[in-house]
Amino acid sequence: METKTTKIHSSVNPNAIIRVIPGHFATNHSHINTYVDMTIMKSRKSEAAAAASVLARKYTTSTYIDTIICMDGCEVIGAYLADELTASGIMSLNQHKTMYIVTPEMNPGGQLIFRDNMQFMIEGKHCLLLLASATTGRTVARALECIQYYGGMISGVSAIFSASDMVEGVEINHIFSAADIGNYETYEAAKCPMCARHQKVDAIVNSFGYSRL
């Protein structure tokens, strides 16, 4: 699979890079014909900082952000994003004038939760949701429901890759779109044309990476 990998650079900052692999992949929610690998971007200092610099361009100084809520292992990018936003004049209303970077926990029932000792970072705070990928919209919807349940206010949603500009009626600030990849498609598992053609699934994928079958 690695031999099929293609690098795609952001037009805004060429150090922000995703790696795409064509094939037949199964996620928790859908089947896709292209795997977008952001593992290095989420782990390498230079690429994480570059991604943050691109995402920060969307927000104006009239936006308040107190807490960045990171999904899909985006905590490193989230920390750099907090620096970028602060440097560009985005205000935090927190007592210490600095932003929180937090990640919700998933309970055995599949619900996103914040423990009691973390809830003060959400309740009454202006929250920016940060994801690696927004495709079917289910993760976005679940995360927004979680933030609102704990009393947070949504300041925006950012993703490294989004299949569309709007997901679940919410505008997604993204670096890469399906147009950047070219022929990206996502399907319900029961309606997957690759399955209908008896094309074997190459790998199971999630926010941690892929596992070949």
Side-chain angles (χ1 to χ4, degrees):
M1 281 177 49
E2 290 82 355
T3 59
K4 300 178 181 179
T5 301
T6 300
K7 291 183 180 181
I8 299 177
H9 299 255
S10 164
S11 60
V12 177
N13 187 330
N15 290 323
I17 305 167
I18 55 173
R19 294 152 177 85
V20 299
I21 305 173
H24 183 189
F25 304 99
T27 76
N28 288 337
H29 307 305
S30 64
H31 284 201
I32 53 178
N33 68 348
T34 306
Y35 172 57
V36 182
D37 187 0
M38 290 169 269
T39 308
I40 296 177
M41 178 184 284
K42 293 187 287 186
S43 306
R44 182 180 288 168
K45 177 182 182 295
S46 59
E47 292 190 25
S53 73
V54 179
L55 292 173
R57 293 164 59 96
K58 172 72 175 181
Y59 302 100
T60 68
T61 54
S62 61
T63 304
Y64 289 101
I65 297 175
D66 304 312
T67 301
I68 299 176
I69 297 175
C70 300
M71 306 290 293
D72 307 327
C74 285
E75 290 85 356
V76 175
I77 298 173
Y80 281 113
L81 181 55
D83 283 344
E84 288 283 342
L85 294 172
T86 302
S88 64
I90 302 299
M91 298 296 294
S92 166
L93 299 180
N94 292 328
Q95 181 178 357
H96 300 290
K97 305 301 179 185
T98 189
M99 297 176 192
Y100 297 111
I101 295 96
V102 301
T103 300
E105 179 182 347
M106 184 177 292
N107 71 11
Q111 294 176 310
L112 297 176
I113 63 171
F114 287 99
R115 299 286 180 175
D116 292 0
N117 54 305
M118 295 183 64
Q119 291 175 16
F120 77 93
M121 304 180 195
I122 310 300
E123 185 176 3
K125 304 297 185 184
H126 298 85
C127 299
L128 172 62
L129 177 63
L130 174 63
L131 307 97
S133 178
T135 51
T136 64
R138 294 181 184 178
T139 301
V140 173
R142 185 170 57 175
L144 292 177
E145 181 182 19
C146 172
I147 294 168
Q148 292 166 341
Y149 174 81
Y150 287 103
M153 298 170 283
I154 309 300
S155 290
V157 178
S158 287
I160 307 306
F161 168 77
S162 182
S164 62
D165 293 333
M166 300 285 291
V167 175
E168 293 289 312
V170 178
E171 182 181 4
I172 307 297
N173 169 35
H174 55 76
I175 303 174
F176 301 96
S177 68
D180 295 308
I181 295 174
N183 65 338
Y184 181 91
E185 297 288 347
T186 179
Y187 311 100
E188 293 181 26
K191 299 178 181 178
C192 175
M194 293 178 287
C195 290
R197 295 193 300 266
H198 304 290
Q199 178 180 341
K200 69 182 277 304
V201 174
D202 294 300
I204 296 173
V205 300
N206 62 17
S207 61
F208 292 99
Y210 62 82
S211 297
R212 295 188 190 90
L213 295 179

